[in-house]
Amino acid sequence: MLLQLVSPERILVEEQVDEVQIPGLDGYMGVLPGHAPLLSELMPGGVLTYRAGSATKVLAVYGGFVEVQADRVRILADFAERKEEINIEEARAQLSKVNPDSLDELMRAQAKVDAATKT
């Protein structure tokens, strides 16, 4: 199926994939080809993974929407970063400075650290 992930700044992913794990607002959801159509809001901060052949890719995504169709997953993220683009030391420092009362900020900072450290 075709995975398209875009943010206001750029297109991050546009490729054929075998599986996607999406941080939906109500929790993580796995999507395989032929999945039932759905539309969902994304978590304020979460980790998206996808598999294309034997390669697994990881991104941190921050808010937005996902549209799933049988042959396509389209994600419109408020912001997203590839694992390779994240500086783990900066991400950890940012997480340590977040106000714990700000759930959205905490989720975004944690998603960044989680994406950067996911194997």
Side-chain angles (χ1 to χ4, degrees):
M1 69 187 154
L2 178 63
L3 172 62
Q4 298 170 307
L5 192 157
V6 298
S7 71
E9 294 83 26
R10 62 189 173 147
I11 298 171
L12 286 110
V13 179
E14 188 161 15
E15 66 180 279
Q16 292 293 322
V17 302
D18 301 309
E19 176 184 6
V20 184
Q21 294 290 323
I22 303 164
L25 190 59
D26 294 325
Y28 282 85
M29 61 184 110
V31 177
L32 298 168
H35 195 285
L38 70 87
L39 186 62
S40 176
E41 195 172 341
L42 298 176
M43 286 181 191
V47 177
L48 180 138
T49 60
Y50 68 92
R51 186 176 52 82
S54 62
T56 299
K57 306 280 179 92
V58 178
L59 296 98
V61 295
Y62 314 105
F65 296 90
V66 59
E67 174 193 29
V68 176
Q69 296 183 1
D71 62 346
R72 179 179 54 230
V73 175
R74 182 176 293 140
I75 298 168
L76 305 173
D78 294 338
F79 188 75
E81 297 175 90
R82 292 183 183 97
K83 175 183 176 174
E84 303 81 30
E85 299 170 342
I86 299 170
N87 178 313
I88 187 61
E89 289 82 21
E90 288 178 11
R92 286 185 174 138
Q94 181 182 5
L95 179 59
S96 70
K97 295 176 185 174
V98 170
N99 178 351
D101 294 332
S102 176
L103 184 58
D104 285 0
E105 280 185 51
L106 185 61
M107 289 179 75
R108 288 183 185 111
Q110 186 64 58
K112 192 174 204 172
V113 170
D114 291 348
T117 58
K118 190 165 181 82
T119 56

